[in-house]
Amino acid sequence: MEDSGFKLRERESDSNREREREMGGGGGGAAKGWLGQMGLTKSGGSINWYPGHMAAATRAIRQRLKLSDFVIEVRDARIPLSSANEDLQPMLSGKRRVIALNKQDLANRNLMHKWISYFNSHKQECLPINAHSRSSVHKLLDLVEFKLKEVMAREPTLLVMVLGVPNVGKSALINSIHQIALSQFPVQEKMKKARVGPLPGVTQDIAGFKIAHQPSVYVLDSPGVLVPSIPDIETGLKLALAGSVKDSVVGEERIAQYLLAVLNTRGTPLQWKHLVDRETKDPHHELENKPESVMKDLQNKGKKRMNKSNAYRVQDMVSEVQRTLCITLSEFGGSLEDESDLEILIEHQFEALQKALKIPHKASEARIMVSKKFLTLFRTGKLGPVILDDVPDASDSVS
């Protein structure tokens, strides 16, 4: 195990030895602090991603912020604090703003109310949203209008700025606002659509979009920018896990190691125990044993049937991954408190996941393929909703 690169620090208090049993955080001392030190591959260490365009964009954002009447700060609902750009917080604290916790469909709803209470206790407006949901975006716009009501009565032109770290869904939100604006307001000029992509850093300039008349309201989209130096390793790993830092910067295997460490120390796989004794049934097994004429007839049922069949395949794969992680954790004879034992467990889980995901044993890039597929299942919510950040004590300051 010497080449696994793990450098775990021992936890310093008994309270940090309690395992979080609910996926989604909010009190999991085991997943706080020390886990950030694990998964350090040979090229590992601190995580920073600040290409040249981010430095230029940050300067431009600071200039636009001075002119903005309102700010929609988009954060990832799975990392409400880690997805904040700390360098911009001093300027944001003096602006009218709302923190939009996007991707709420991927976050643990049982813990979301705690985050809302936390931000509210610090007199900071917070609203969980889904940028792809029209009704959700409507609620956000209603809140913005309410907050700007007094200003709208005396100002002919208003600027609303949308900002956030990479890949939190800013462009998806901008596009949803466009669609709503097109249906409600007469717009003379053709509005450009914001580019949306699965990779961080898609938007690399600042563009203004008119969404309303009387008064004229412009929404300013902006590139996703990170801080020049991410404060700690675990914050960097959370950003990477959520897709805000390019995988190539950190390494898929390192990110997957961190994800497995979080799931194991929280005891999340044990929640999938009901799948262990359930024999996964391949929906295509019966079809394979039917006569050719029957098979041909079934294949002509159309694309809808095939789509449903593909959905079954994905669900079977998810169930197999969950069963695999549950079994490996249940049979684990070591201590999750011991870094060496945890290393051994994660190494075993990588091997088991390779079988579960049906990746060829001799594939030279097997571990990378396992990591990529495993991360995709997590990022698309197939492994269940999660909040990686822990809700701070009420006395802690808010960003």
Side-chain angles (χ1 to χ4, degrees):
M1 290 299 298
E2 293 180 358
D3 62 345
S4 65
F6 287 101
K7 296 293 181 183
L8 294 174
R9 297 183 305 187
E10 293 183 359
R11 283 171 280 183
E12 298 176 352
S13 65
D14 291 337
S15 62
N16 283 343
R17 292 186 172 89
E18 297 177 1
R19 285 191 291 172
E20 175 63 50
R21 292 298 181 182
E22 179 179 17
M23 186 177 185
K32 189 176 182 179
W34 70 286
L35 284 185
Q37 301 301 317
M38 75 168 305
L40 301 183
T41 58
K42 294 179 180 180
S43 60
S46 60
I47 298 170
N48 291 302
W49 182 45
Y50 199 67
H53 78 268
M54 281 195 190
T58 299
R59 291 192 294 270
I61 288 173
R62 290 181 181 277
Q63 292 299 318
R64 298 318 191 270
L65 271 175
K66 296 176 182 178
L67 305 175
S68 299
D69 299 284
F70 195 88
V71 176
I72 299 176
E73 183 188 1
V74 186
R75 300 188 189 180
D76 192 315
R78 297 168 295 179
I79 44 175
L81 290 183
S82 296
S83 57
N85 185 314
E86 293 296 337
D87 284 3
L88 294 178
Q89 294 308 311
M91 289 190 70
L92 293 176
S93 62
K95 307 290 294 186
R96 298 181 185 88
R97 68 163 167 167
V98 58
I99 295 177
L101 296 179
N102 191 31
K103 305 184 182 182
Q104 66 168 341
D105 54 312
L106 301 178
N108 190 326
R109 293 187 178 183
N110 296 329
L111 296 173
M112 189 57 67
H113 72 281
K114 294 183 179 180
W115 280 102
I116 295 174
S117 298
Y118 171 71
F119 284 111
N120 288 343
S121 68
H122 290 82
K123 298 181 180 180
Q124 177 59 66
E125 198 75 45
C126 166
L127 183 68
I129 69 166
N130 180 348
H132 296 286
S133 167
R134 191 181 182 92
S135 61
S136 182
V137 176
H138 262 299
K139 290 180 181 179
L140 176 62
L141 293 178
D142 289 343
L143 178 59
V144 173
E145 182 179 359
F146 176 77
K147 292 294 182 180
L148 285 175
K149 194 171 184 179
E150 293 183 5
V151 184
M152 293 175 72
R154 62 175 185 270
E155 295 292 341
T157 303
L158 298 173
L159 297 179
V160 176
M161 190 166 194
V162 180
L163 57 78
V165 301
N167 210 32
V168 291
K170 299 181 305 301
S171 295
L173 176 59
I174 287 290
N175 289 336
S176 292
I177 292 175
H178 279 176
Q179 295 303 315
I180 293 174
L182 284 172
S183 64
Q184 293 185 347
F185 305 104
V187 181
Q188 296 179 6
E189 65 271 26
K190 184 178 180 180
M191 292 193 295
K192 181 181 176 182
K193 198 171 185 180
R195 290 180 296 167
V196 179
L199 300 177
V202 171
T203 306
Q204 297 190 4
D205 56 4
I206 295 179
F209 307 93
K210 191 173 184 179
I211 64 168
H213 291 292
Q214 300 179 352
S216 295
V217 179
Y218 290 85
V219 171
L220 300 181
D221 191 11
S222 62
V225 293
L226 294 165
V227 296
S229 179
I230 297 175
D232 61 86
I233 295 175
E234 187 161 10
T235 296
L237 287 170
K238 288 177 181 177
L239 287 167
L241 184 53
S244 292
V245 174
K246 283 185 177 180
D247 287 349
S248 58
V249 174
V250 183
E252 290 91 346
E253 185 176 340
R254 185 184 181 196
I255 303 171
Q257 287 174 332
Y258 175 68
L259 174 56
L260 285 171
V262 171
L263 296 179
N264 288 326
T265 55
R266 289 181 174 181
T268 302
L270 300 180
Q271 299 175 13
W272 302 324
K273 191 174 182 180
H274 63 284
L275 296 172
V276 175
D277 298 326
R278 181 191 303 172
E279 181 179 357
T280 303
K281 185 177 181 181
D282 187 347
H284 307 284
H285 177 70
E286 294 181 4
L287 296 181
E288 293 173 355
N289 294 324
K290 289 185 177 294
E292 184 177 348
S293 59
V294 178
M295 281 293 297
K296 186 175 181 179
D297 181 61
L298 290 174
Q299 289 171 356
N300 291 330
K301 292 293 184 180
K303 187 177 295 184
K304 184 176 181 180
R305 180 68 174 268
M306 288 298 294
N307 289 339
K308 184 178 292 187
S309 179
N310 290 337
Y312 281 131
R313 286 185 181 274
V314 172
Q315 186 54 51
D316 283 349
M317 179 174 65
V318 172
S319 297
E320 189 60 28
V321 167
Q322 291 175 323
R323 288 177 68 253
T324 296
L325 294 182
C326 181
I327 291 173
T328 52
L329 180 57
S330 299
E331 296 178 347
F332 176 55
S335 171
L336 293 176
E337 313 300 328
D338 184 272
E339 62 180 77
S340 297
D341 285 352
L342 187 55
E343 292 175 29
I344 294 172
L345 170 61
I346 291 175
E347 181 67 22
H348 178 51
Q349 288 177 325
F350 260 100
E351 296 173 358
L353 285 174
Q354 182 177 342
K355 296 180 181 179
L357 294 170
K358 299 180 179 179
I359 295 174
H361 179 70
K362 294 183 179 180
S364 59
E365 300 294 330
R367 290 181 71 90
I368 296 298
M369 293 172 65
V370 169
S371 300
K372 287 183 176 180
K373 287 191 175 184
F374 185 47
L375 291 175
T376 297
L377 292 180
F378 170 80
R379 289 167 175 168
T380 54
K382 297 295 191 299
L383 298 181
V386 63
I387 295 181
L388 296 169
D389 283 339
D390 295 319
V391 181
D393 295 333
S395 58
D396 291 349
S397 60
V398 63
S399 296

